[in-house]
Amino acid sequence: MARGEAEARSLLAEYGLNDLPIDPEQVAVRLGASVLRHPGPAELSGMLLRRDGQAVIGLNDTLPPARQRFALAHLVGHLHLHRQRDLLLDTVERHALGNLASLPTDREETEANRFALELLAPETAVRRAAVEADFRTAAQLVDLLAPRFDLTRSTMAARLMGLGIILDV
């Protein structure tokens, strides 16, 4: 298991977070960060700033709510995993999951993505939901599970493919 996934699982267990959908803001606050939402340019999903022992996560509130959730979980991943980073500007394409051509190659971005996916869609919960779901096609499964985990369709598809539950949508 990759570091990002392991750390997300550890935090979920430590904080007793089991109810879906998981609230990434609750995790951010427990880690000592403040979360602020403000309008921003379309290409900016959020930012992380650390100064004088304090951490602030800023989110672009013009993004759709499910994208804001993933951006927040991704930035919480950076907060928890990459403590040496004092400033991080996170653009939409840096953690895009729906387009294979834009998948991150940077180790920290990959770790933050894996952290975010495990935080928002824990593997055991996704596997359980997939077994319990009544579906005929991969696309139907994605459509059923995305709202349950409060993820975009493309993020849910990426999660299901990453876990080997589906091959394609």
Side-chain angles (χ1 to χ4, degrees), residues 112-164:
N113 275 348
R114 288 182 172 167
F115 179 96
L117 287 170
E118 183 63 27
L119 187 73
L120 298 176
E123 180 178 358
T124 55
V126 172
R127 289 190 184 284
R128 187 177 330 109
V131 167
E132 294 170 356
D134 182 20
F135 67 98
R136 290 202 169 98
T137 67
Q140 286 176 331
L141 181 61
V142 171
D143 290 339
L144 285 170
L145 297 189
R148 183 168 181 180
F149 290 90
D150 199 5
L151 297 173
T152 64
R153 191 175 189 288
S154 63
T155 301
M156 190 74 244
R159 183 63 169 152
L160 291 167
M161 286 187 282
L163 293 173

Side-chain angles (χ1 to χ4, degrees), residues 18-72:
N18 301 309
D19 296 333
L20 297 176
I22 301 295
D23 181 3
E25 187 163 352
Q26 190 176 35
V27 177
V29 169
R30 286 190 175 189
L31 290 172
S34 300
V35 178
L36 305 172
R37 290 172 174 79
H38 292 284
E43 65 276 2
L44 182 67
S45 53
M47 52 82 62
L48 167 64
L49 174 66
R50 293 180 221 251
R51 181 177 284 163
D52 300 326
Q54 305 231 340
V56 176
I57 295 174
L59 292 175
N60 181 350
D61 70 359
T62 63
L63 296 175
R67 288 201 32 217
Q68 286 183 51
R69 278 176 43 77
F70 186 84
L72 178 53

